[in-house]
Amino acid sequence: MRRFVVLGRTATAGADFSLDDLPGSSGRLDVLLRCVRAALLLSHGLRRDTAIYLVLQGGPLAPRTIRIDGRTAEYLRPDERSLAGAVRNLLGRDHSALRGLAFGESTRGVAIALGGLDAVLADLAEGAGTAFTPYMLDEGPGARDVREAPIDLEHPVFFVGDHLGFDDDARARLEALGAQRLSLGPVSVHADDAIVLLANELDRRGCG
Amino acid sequence: MRRFVVLGRTATAGADFSLDDLPGSSGRLDVLLRCVRAALLLSHGLRRDTAIYLVLQGGPLAPRTIRIDGRTAEYLRPDERSLAGAVRNLLGRDHSALRGLAFGESTRGVAIALGGLDAVLADLAEGAGTAFTPYMLDEGPGARDVREAPIDLEHPVFFVGDHLGFDDDARARLEALGAQRLSLGPVSVHADDAIVLLANELDRRGCG
């Protein structure tokens, strides 16, 4: 199982955004929605071997995290507006019954938790076992080219920053976790492009 | 200069579509719009070494082709709705002054021609000189892995199908042109993902 975790520094955790102006009203949730398509959708199919977490750290309801699991996901459409509508519906529901950092019941593969990176790490420890291997998409010193780096093909977890990159706290926590830095090439690309490039490398290595 | 040509078999050449239901009202123009982001936008920047053609073959006004040239493009935003709005404005204007297959005057890097693949090939012959090298993204017999294939780094032109792939006529014309088949990996991906993977390979080879 491949897992991607996209950390949205400003993406809203509430439903108070407009589908007619996603970039301007949602704290750039559009960046994260494009990552959903990149991670889960194929030409005429859905990647059943992939899950993605969207960590929403913007607005008064933050942090919240949405998890979409390809094993059980249904009716995912590739266009931003459809994805935004589905996320807005989920964010607008009553989640007062949720306890602690646990994800609630999954509906068509989609679930939510009232926490950020904490909730993701708790879920990963439970879902992937302690054996998951964390990687962070991060340029700079110590990063290894994804084409050359050894990658755990059983339980890899890739942490990806949004258009603002990782904040200091997230970076420190990922480093403490032992996350290995991966780079993707000589040019700095969008988060969804990073996921496309990673997925292709995993496909080529027979991961899944 | 890198050039991508996306052939939209059903994407509308008219402005009669709704921004609120792009996939359902535009003949899947959304597929082509995502290719614009993938081809031209970087993390905090624009690829000045890239141009993309969107060949619109759907609806009564077809064929028409939009060309976006990174050398002079401005104000491109990555979200689908913004891109769709810009394209709709362009398609809705009066183009009766256009003659033959030539592209009209470029506004902020964007131009339109009243033709399909013909208009692209005429423009390529003029813009890139006769030296451009055509490639088609196409799985199957004879395709070479993009990581192994020789690629012209000066004037490559990559033809990409939409969600329906190339039609027989386009395929025959590209073959007659001597287009070399490239494959991207073991899994069939969306058109925008194909462009991301190609762009990364070109980046790594120092193309630009």
Side-chain angles (χ1 to χ4, degrees), chain A residues 66-111:
Chain A
I66 292 175
R67 184 189 66 203
I68 308 179
D69 190 326
R71 289 174 295 192
T72 49
E74 291 178 65
Y75 308 116
L76 274 187
R77 290 172 62 180
D79 63 297
E80 281 170 39
R81 191 179 174 93
S82 297
L83 291 167
V87 162
R88 193 172 67 167
N89 285 345
L90 175 63
L91 292 174
R93 283 195 210 122
D94 177 13
H95 299 297
S96 59
L98 290 182
R99 291 282 169 264
L101 294 173
F103 281 82
E105 196 179 344
S106 168
T107 306
R108 294 177 178 165
V110 182

Side-chain angles (χ1 to χ4, degrees), chain A residues 139-159:
Chain A
E139 293 144 1
R144 292 193 65 173
D145 188 326
V146 67
R147 291 196 185 180
E148 314 292 339
I151 298 178
D152 169 9
L153 300 182
E154 295 296 321
H155 300 298
V157 180
F158 302 95
F159 293 87

Side-chain angles (χ1 to χ4, degrees), chain B residues 104-117:
Chain B
E105 197 180 342
S106 169
T107 307
R108 295 177 179 163
V110 182
I112 191 169
L114 306 183
L117 194 47

